[in-house]
Amino acid sequence: MYVLIGIVVLVALYAVMIYNGLVRSRQMAEEAWSGIDVQLKRRADLIPNLIETVKGYAAHEKGTFEEVVKLRNQAQAVPAGDVAARAEAEGLLGQALGKLFALAEAYPDLKANQNFSELQASLETIESEIQMARRYYNGAARDLNVKIESFPSNLVAGQFGFSKRDYFEIANEADRAVPTVKF
């Protein structure tokens, strides 16, 4: 009888440990997503200053500016927890920013402008931080997903409604291609 009670207590304690591990992993994934969100917000806040600086030099390139602003607003409108939609919107915004910097290459005075150079350097730093935050989030999501799918934690996860996280990935396959360099 005492052996049976001891086994039940051990199983209950093990279930509590599994549950706490799942909660910890879920919190890590949420904290990691928050890190991405902060970096994306920093980038979004920098874009209007960048646009205004470039506008003065390339006023006839209105379509490029409008596209960047439109994509920035779309990215910010994505609901906070929708990782896949946010990744897609941010990927499109990144492409538009690439066009904006390509446009700047055509204007030597703009490239030499200190304000533009500082904004471009800030954006490059933020992009690097977004990549680090993305890797951290994807690692936290992976750890949570493994726990949710692994036995016996999948039994506890199913009982308490834990769900898998989407990865923050490149949505456009063209972005994965290796660029060709010609001299």
Side-chain angles (χ1 to χ4, degrees):
M1 169 96 159
Y2 291 115
V3 173
L4 184 59
I5 292 173
I7 291 173
V8 169
V9 168
L10 287 176
V11 168
L13 287 174
Y14 187 62
V16 167
M17 287 179 13
I18 290 173
Y19 177 81
N20 288 341
L22 287 164
V23 169
R24 188 178 311 104
S25 292
R26 180 176 59 194
Q27 290 302 316
M28 294 284 289
E30 288 175 7
E31 184 263 337
W33 177 250
S34 173
I36 289 176
D37 206 34
V38 165
Q39 297 306 325
L40 294 176
K41 173 77 170 113
R42 286 181 61 207
R43 178 172 74 172
D45 290 347
L46 187 64
I47 290 172
N49 295 331
L50 192 60
I51 294 288
E52 287 304 314
T53 301
V54 176
K55 269 185 181 179
Y57 288 89
H60 64 282
E61 302 287 354
K62 186 177 178 186
T64 303
F65 304 135
E66 289 173 352
E67 180 183 8
V68 170
V69 171
K70 180 184 94 180
L71 291 171
R72 173 189 177 259
N73 293 338
Q74 285 176 355
Q76 288 187 308
V78 174
D82 192 349
V83 176
R86 187 71 181 261
E88 181 179 352
E90 293 296 337
L92 293 172
L93 178 58
Q95 290 175 355
L97 286 171
K99 290 179 192 174
L100 184 68
F101 285 122
L103 177 83
E105 292 293 320
Y107 297 89
D109 292 342
L110 174 59
K111 284 175 49 176
N113 180 288
Q114 183 173 353
N115 189 29
F116 178 76
S117 296
E118 289 172 4
L119 289 169
Q120 188 173 18
S122 294
L123 189 60
E124 288 172 6
T125 300
I126 290 171
E127 290 295 332
S128 175
E129 290 173 4
I130 289 171
Q131 292 304 318
M132 288 187 311
R134 181 181 294 167
R135 284 191 299 272
Y136 177 67
Y137 169 78
N138 283 341
R142 178 201 60 230
D143 292 346
L144 176 63
N145 292 346
V146 167
K147 286 182 179 180
I148 288 172
E149 292 182 344
S150 298
F151 181 82
S153 58
N154 63 343
L155 301 174
V156 175
Q159 288 293 318
F160 291 98
F162 286 87
S163 58
K164 289 177 58 176
R165 295 285 173 132
D166 290 330
Y167 292 108
F168 195 95
E169 300 177 304
I170 296 173
N172 185 355
E173 288 298 320
D175 290 343
R176 295 180 197 266
V178 176
T180 54
V181 179
K182 295 181 182 178
F183 293 102

